[in-house]
Amino acid sequence: MEQFVILKNRAVISVSGEDRKSFLFCLFTNDINKVSEISGELQAIYTLMLSPQGRFLYDFFIIEKDEKFLLDCAKEKADEIIQKLSFYKLRSKVEI
């Protein structure tokens, strides 16, 4: 039985597509391969996105559900994060 709590100060960004795992693997500090959905059980990770100089930019909780990565982030930073991810997208086959 799934239960959800709406947190008004949080947002969820969906990343899907053929290259979703390799795309996120290069951007975050934690190993994206640790995120999994095994027998209906979700394994989440906590990770950071850093600037090229190594400074903190954003933090996330990530789960994988239905062949999509769902990034739980601060609501006030969501648009900024989407813009940053889109900047790094280049030719990757991902949908943000």
Side-chain angles (χ1 to χ4, degrees), residues 55-67:
R55 294 186 184 173
F56 171 84
L57 293 176
Y58 316 106
D59 64 336
F60 310 90
F61 288 100
I62 303 177
I63 63 169
E64 186 174 22
K65 181 82 172 151
D66 301 326
E67 297 186 6

Side-chain angles (χ1 to χ4, degrees), residues 27-30 46-50 56-60 62:
L27 296 176
F28 298 141
T29 59
N30 204 340
Y46 176 74
T47 189
L48 305 174
M49 185 174 189
L50 305 176
F56 171 84
L57 293 176
Y58 316 106
D59 64 336
F60 310 90
I62 303 177

Side-chain angles (χ1 to χ4, degrees), residues 37-84:
E37 183 179 0
I38 301 172
S39 303
E41 293 291 319
L42 300 175
Q43 177 64 44
I45 62 168
Y46 176 74
T47 189
L48 305 174
M49 185 174 189
L50 305 176
S51 72
Q53 295 78 26
R55 294 186 184 173
F56 171 84
L57 293 176
Y58 316 106
D59 64 336
F60 310 90
F61 288 100
I62 303 177
I63 63 169
E64 186 174 22
K65 181 82 172 151
D66 301 326
E67 297 186 6
K68 295 179 187 174
F69 285 108
L70 302 175
L71 287 60
D72 175 317
C73 62
K75 187 175 186 174
E76 67 270 5
K77 298 288 186 180
D79 291 335
E80 189 178 321
I81 292 167
I82 291 169
Q83 186 176 24
K84 183 72 76 176

